[in-house]
Amino acid sequence: MTTPPQGQNPYGQGVQPHPGQPGQPTVPQQPYPPYNQGAPIPPPAAPSGRGKKLMLRIGGFILVAIIIAVVKWQLGKSDAETTAVGDCLHNKGTQSAPDLKNTDCSSSDAEFEVIEKFDNTSSVSKCDAVKGTEVSYYQTGGSHDVVLCLKNK
């Protein structure tokens, strides 16, 4: 076996030299593709008007639904639920099936004045402790239970 000359690779016969190694010619590197650095980047495409219109329609439907629900809730409340101490009532129903409606206390229709109101109960016995009570009225169901202690007007 023969010894290779000093500084040479004994296993590298037939191997092409790599550019950039010491003693080898360098190959100039290709720069990255040129970019136009002076031009501004175009803005992203604006969303179509259809998307905005759809969102506005959905929002409008939701708003209308909320308004309708609030109006129905207010209209569905009975006068017993919305009345306050000092308000006057007129019975449009009968003694056994009363239909009390708020009325002006100076009106000739005013039959009863509310002297006490108890929410979330149907116990008319609460009116026993209220001085001046002549009639007890209770209403159950709807959005909540109410007891009114009334005096004749």
Side-chain angles (χ1 to χ4, degrees), residues 68-89:
I68 289 171
V70 168
V71 168
K72 284 181 116 179
W73 177 70
Q74 285 292 356
L75 293 176
K77 291 175 85 174
S78 70
D79 284 342
E81 291 176 285
T82 60
T83 194
V85 172
D87 287 351
C88 292
L89 301 169

Side-chain angles (χ1 to χ4, degrees), residues 5 13 27 29 32 34 44 49 62 69 71 95 101 113 144:
Q13 279 103 12
V27 177
Q29 297 236 346
Y32 289 106
I62 291 172
V71 168
Q95 187 73 21
K101 299 293 179 190
E113 181 180 346
H144 69 280

Side-chain angles (χ1 to χ4, degrees), residues 93-113:
T94 64
Q95 187 73 21
S96 59
D99 182 17
L100 298 177
K101 299 293 179 190
N102 281 347
T103 188
D104 187 74
C105 288
S106 62
S107 168
S108 63
D109 286 343
E111 297 177 67
F112 306 101
E113 181 180 346

Side-chain angles (χ1 to χ4, degrees), residues 3-12 21-22 24:
T3 9
Q6 210 174 13
Q8 290 186 359
N9 184 355
Y11 305 106
Q21 286 184 344
Q24 301 296 326

Side-chain angles (χ1 to χ4, degrees), residues 10-150:
Y11 305 106
Q13 279 103 12
V15 176
Q16 298 292 325
H18 294 294
Q21 286 184 344
Q24 301 296 326
T26 59
V27 177
Q29 297 236 346
Q30 292 293 324
Y32 289 106
Y35 292 104
N36 188 351
Q37 295 177 1
I41 298 173
S48 69
R50 291 180 71 177
K52 286 183 180 180
K53 287 180 184 177
L54 179 64
M55 292 305 291
L56 286 174
R57 282 186 182 170
I58 291 171
F61 284 132
I62 291 172
L63 181 62
V64 168
I66 290 171
I67 290 170
I68 289 171
V70 168
V71 168
K72 284 181 116 179
W73 177 70
Q74 285 292 356
L75 293 176
K77 291 175 85 174
S78 70
D79 284 342
E81 291 176 285
T82 60
T83 194
V85 172
D87 287 351
C88 292
L89 301 169
H90 171 71
N91 184 9
K92 290 188 171 188
T94 64
Q95 187 73 21
S96 59
D99 182 17
L100 298 177
K101 299 293 179 190
N102 281 347
T103 188
D104 187 74
C105 288
S106 62
S107 168
S108 63
D109 286 343
E111 297 177 67
F112 306 101
E113 181 180 346
V114 179
I115 56 175
E116 190 64 59
K117 178 180 178 180
F118 297 99
D119 288 316
N120 302 317
T121 185
S122 61
S123 175
V124 292
S125 63
K126 290 187 175 250
C127 289
D128 293 343
V130 177
K131 186 176 179 179
T133 298
E134 297 175 274
V135 177
S136 299
Y137 172 80
Y138 73 93
Q139 178 179 306
T140 59
S143 58
H144 69 280
D145 299 339
V146 177
V147 170
L148 299 177
C149 305
L150 309 171

